[in-house]
Amino acid sequence: MLIRLEANDRKQLIDLLINIPELLTERGRRQILEIAGLDDFSKRIDLSGDPKTVVSQIVSVLSSYGRINEYQTALELFLTTIKEYIGYEQQAFIDQLLDKYHIGLNKNKIISSSEISLSETSINDLKEQKSLSGQQQEKLRDALINTFPRKSSLEQLLWFGLNKNLDAIAGGGNLEDIVFNLIITAASEGWVEDLIRAAIQKNPGNSNLRNIAQELLSER
């Protein structure tokens, strides 16, 4: 599925992307592709050039690639991840692009845990788990920080995915402390599996999050 952006839409998108601090460096670009579950593309694209050239190449390559899985295109995974780094008005523009070009096979379909290699049986097993070990908590913390590198992205995950207020649950501090407090609260109140499910639903292409979820389940 080749996605052909109109010239004006492409220009607005690139102008938006080159003003995102994380896309100004090679390391940041590589990290965003990894978070989006597009690790392989970092090997196909020269990420070391100037922002406008690299961003233009990223958009071109992802637009021409098509679908990564049955439900999502490479460009959709990238743009969905980018929304975690921008303001609400810019997010609205991204949403308009996704709708205008029908990027994504079925936006109303809920991607279940079984469709991303987590069976319902495994999720139910996690529900029965009374607590996570310290090592498991640390691994989950690192996966969440990698997937949601800004507090604002975590706030949206909790609010829209779980109808919970992050500040009320985890308080302030740096991101590492916030995520730690979040995991402790989720574990003590018995909704760790809901947190994992919501996180994967938000970023279904993120391999780090899927892998740690599988590992937590297998280590019971």
Side-chain angles (χ1 to χ4, degrees):
M1 175 185 175
L2 177 62
I3 301 169
R4 298 183 182 277
L5 299 177
E6 295 177 5
N8 187 54
D9 289 336
R10 178 184 171 85
K11 180 180 183 303
Q12 288 188 60
L13 176 59
I14 291 175
D15 287 344
L16 182 158
L17 294 174
I18 62 177
N19 285 297
I20 297 175
E22 287 78 5
L23 287 176
L24 296 180
T25 66
E26 179 179 354
R27 180 179 180 182
R29 298 159 190 162
R30 195 175 304 279
Q31 181 181 26
I32 286 181
L33 287 173
E34 179 182 338
I35 291 172
L38 301 170
D39 314 49
D40 290 344
F41 287 90
S42 63
K43 303 172 185 176
R44 308 180 190 184
I45 303 172
D46 181 4
L47 300 175
S48 63
D50 67 275
K52 189 169 185 178
T53 299
V54 175
V55 165
S56 296
Q57 188 178 7
I58 290 174
V59 171
S60 296
V61 170
L62 298 184
S63 297
S64 62
Y65 186 83
R67 300 197 183 283
I68 288 291
N69 54 50
E70 185 179 356
Y71 307 108
Q72 294 176 300
T73 65
L75 185 61
E76 180 184 13
L77 286 173
F78 178 70
L79 294 181
T80 300
T81 300
I82 286 298
K83 287 174 62 178
E84 308 294 344
Y85 297 83
I86 57 181
Y88 290 114
E89 291 185 7
Q90 295 168 314
Q91 289 178 14
F93 170 69
I94 296 296
D95 288 336
Q96 289 173 7
L97 286 183
L98 294 174
D99 289 336
K100 180 176 181 178
Y101 294 95
H102 307 291
I103 302 174
L105 180 64
N106 188 343
K107 295 183 181 302
N108 294 320
K109 179 177 177 62
I110 301 299
I111 301 176
S112 69
S113 55
S114 59
E115 291 169 327
I116 50 180
S117 302
L118 290 178
S119 68
E120 287 298 329
T121 300
S122 296
I123 290 293
N124 289 333
D125 286 343
L126 184 58
K127 287 183 179 181
E128 296 173 0
Q129 183 174 336
K130 293 183 179 180
S131 63
L132 300 177
S133 69
Q135 185 178 29
Q136 288 175 326
Q137 291 175 6
E138 183 177 14
K139 290 178 179 179
L140 180 56
R141 181 203 64 191
D142 292 344
L144 288 173
I145 290 175
N146 176 269
T147 309
F148 304 96
R150 289 188 173 187
K151 182 182 177 183
S152 60
S153 61
L154 270 178
E155 288 175 329
Q156 292 182 48
L157 168 68
L158 268 289
W159 185 258
F160 295 119
L162 298 171
N163 195 29
K164 296 181 183 294
N165 185 299
L166 180 63
D167 284 335
I169 293 171
N174 59 43
L175 185 62
E176 187 171 300
D177 290 340
I178 290 172
V179 174
F180 172 74
N181 291 334
L182 171 63
I183 293 171
I184 292 298
T185 301
S188 65
E189 295 180 358
W191 46 275
V192 171
E193 78 284 350
D194 293 329
L195 175 61
I196 292 175
R197 189 194 297 272
I200 295 176
Q201 182 70 48
K202 183 74 172 175
N203 284 278
N206 187 279
S207 57
N208 288 330
L209 190 58
R210 292 204 314 270
N211 289 341
I212 191 60
Q214 290 278 28
E215 185 175 344
L216 289 179
L217 295 172
S218 65
E219 288 182 1
R220 291 181 68 255

